[in-house]
Amino acid sequence: MGTDPDTPTRRERRKLLLCSAAIALAALALLLATSPRLPMGWDEGNAIGRAQKISAWARSWAARAPGQPHPLSRQAIEEHWPYTTRVEGHPAFYGIVLAAGQWTSGKWLPPLEGWRFGPMLLFSLATGAMFHAMARQFGQAAGLAAALALLVQPRLFAHAHFALADAMLAACWVLAWAAFTSPRPNWRRAVLFGLLLGMAMSTKAPGWFAPIPFILWAALYRDGRRAAALALGLPTALAAFYLLNPPLWHEPLAGLATFVHLNTHRQVNVAILFLGRMYDLHHALPWYNTLVWTAITVPAGLLALAVLGVLGVVRRGRADRAGVLLILNWLILLVVRALPGTPPHDGIRLFLPSFAFLAALAGLGAAQLLGRLKGCPPLEPIAPGAIGRADGAQYVWPSLG
């Protein structure tokens, strides 16, 4: 897609795929090894409790007591699926991942790690996909640096363990981006892109902003093949959203309206302290809040590499089609989070996917620093000392209080 690389041989494609799988397995091993060091997060108990209801619903298909309603009945779905049209309106896919992960690993992992296994596996797959897509478009140096940057951001790395929706949303978004950037788009890849996009939309409400960068990019470049992929992928994403949210099955239109209402009319007003002042739903955060959160939560060395990557894309301009798509995916939630009326609570959690694409931009910066950015003219040499120490490689566990 953006860099017109030489067509790789079958052996090179196989080698790249094997490297991607190895990186995904290494990421999973790292997450499994470090998970016991992280205590239960604030919302994990609630998320696990909801996922247990999904597990009970799945078991009811095999062993239904006399008089128990059919699993597809309205009563059974209302009882076992407290998502989408209920409580605060979180969609259901993250609960499905938790339940499936626990069912897969519950016999060989401790209880908390069992419930975390699904999110950790999904994030590991996204790490491998990040390497594969970046290496294919910009070279293996950029791919390796981007994959490492996913794992050395303290807050992102911590969230990758938790049985929560935030890191899963980032993972699904990265997987959708990787599918969209395939060098040979066809209807199968368009359907795959749509399914992954639907998974993002079904994980948390901010996932509904995920299609916007791809639509803007296709419009900017007037790319007919990508526009065709969107024309098939977007309806597929909507179909996947309905498939993954059983509370919509009995009321597809009214349920969708309820979902939108719950996610745009928050009833709980949670205040947050930002730069010495309190903000809430009635006192919007300043527009620059996302930039400040990014600056103070990303290690300085990694942030400098990301800035270098952004400057490289800006310098190359529209010629760097793949880099422009990365910037659009990075920016979208930063902009949404800065809009008046956006819930102010939870700090970086509401735009966590932006940090995944910041990792990709840091991969570009690292490759440029090494002078190995494939297919793009390198920036003027910069002294390594100007970037500073690689603070990101020495992660610090975040405060969980």
Side-chain angles (χ1 to χ4, degrees), residues 222-242:
R222 300 181 181 180
D223 189 313
R225 292 188 304 168
R226 306 295 171 178
L230 286 170
L232 179 57
L234 293 180
T236 302
L238 185 59
F241 178 78
Y242 273 94

Side-chain angles (χ1 to χ4, degrees), residues 48-230:
I48 291 171
R50 295 191 195 190
Q52 287 174 330
K53 294 187 176 183
I54 296 179
S55 298
W57 180 82
R59 290 193 298 270
S60 72
W61 282 88
R64 184 152 46 102
Q68 186 177 0
H70 190 277
L72 293 180
S73 68
R74 182 186 294 266
Q75 179 183 347
I77 289 175
E78 288 180 351
E79 179 181 350
H80 293 100
W81 292 88
Y83 302 92
T84 321
T85 59
R86 300 177 59 191
V87 197
E88 73 290 270
H90 285 333
F93 182 63
Y94 80 96
I96 296 172
V97 174
L98 264 62
Q102 196 279 334
W103 177 80
T104 302
S105 65
K107 294 183 178 180
W108 53 276
L109 284 177
L112 181 56
E113 276 61 53
W115 288 106
R116 289 176 170 179
F117 180 74
M120 290 190 289
L121 177 61
L122 191 59
F123 194 85
S124 300
L125 292 173
T127 303
M130 173 69 80
F131 167 77
H132 188 277
M134 290 293 292
R136 174 168 37 80
Q137 297 175 89
F138 298 104
Q140 292 197 16
L144 183 59
L148 287 174
L150 279 177
L151 299 173
V152 298
Q153 294 184 62
R155 296 296 297 275
L156 183 59
F157 182 69
H159 277 286
H161 298 79
F162 297 147
L164 294 172
D166 305 283
M168 278 191 275
L169 172 58
C172 292
W173 200 322
V174 167
L175 289 168
W177 159 78
F180 185 79
T181 60
S182 171
R184 294 176 298 277
N186 54 41
W187 71 268
R188 294 182 182 85
R189 291 184 174 90
V191 169
L192 176 61
F193 164 70
L195 290 174
L196 294 168
L197 196 63
M199 288 163 52
M201 295 162 60
S202 300
T203 299
K204 202 169 183 180
W208 278 73
F209 294 101
I212 295 178
F214 303 103
I215 296 172
L216 291 177
W217 184 91
L220 175 64
Y221 287 101
R222 300 181 181 180
D223 189 313
R225 292 188 304 168
R226 306 295 171 178
L230 286 170

